[in-house]
Amino acid sequence: MIASAAALCDELYAVVISLEYRHAPEHPFPAAHEDVLAGYEWAVENSGQYNADADRLALVGESVGGNMGNMVVATAMAARNQQLTEPDHVVSVYPVAQSNFNTESYEANEAALPLSLAMMA
């Protein structure tokens, strides 16, 4: 995600924050989601010191094993549910949105690299 964050920063002339979070199995669900939400809250609260506009927010998540895309959606939903500042945009790049491995896409790309069906399962 670091390369993607740097590319976004360069292309959008935006303040981009890339978050680290606790990983399973050492830190089971919902630890990672809690960390991403805490990072989002911190970014909103501290936006002024980075010359960032908290009224123009986007959450972007890219796979990271299929999970980061889902975490940005969960973070946006938590912001809404907890009546926090909501992001204006949510971008979820190739998230894992279901657990069914018997789809036409999985079958057609069974041996695809870098993520084959076996690796996804």
Side-chain angles (χ1 to χ4, degrees):
M1 185 65 174
I2 300 298
S4 296
L8 280 172
C9 191
D10 288 345
E11 292 295 320
L12 299 176
Y13 302 103
V15 175
V16 176
I17 298 169
S18 180
L19 298 173
E20 182 56 61
Y21 52 89
R22 293 172 289 169
H23 297 261
E26 295 83 6
H27 304 281
F29 178 83
H33 289 268
E34 292 168 345
D35 292 350
V36 174
L37 179 60
Y40 174 77
E41 289 181 85
W42 181 91
V44 170
E45 291 170 7
N46 293 280
S47 60
Q49 70 182 359
Y50 295 97
N51 199 27
D53 186 350
D55 291 325
R56 296 174 45 210
L57 297 170
L59 284 170
V60 180
E62 183 177 1
S63 188
V64 186
N67 199 22
M68 193 62 192
N70 295 333
M71 281 198 279
V72 297
V73 173
T75 299
M77 292 171 65
R80 178 200 62 206
N81 294 346
Q82 295 177 31
Q83 298 181 343
L84 305 173
T85 301
E86 293 183 46
D88 298 300
H89 306 281
V90 176
V91 180
S92 184
V93 182
Y94 53 90
V96 175
Q98 61 158 326
S99 60
N100 179 4
F101 294 108
N102 298 313
T103 65
E104 286 183 39
S105 177
Y106 274 120
E107 291 171 10
N109 298 288
E110 181 177 8
L113 293 176
L115 293 174
S116 67
L117 173 58
M119 291 174 71
M120 289 298 295

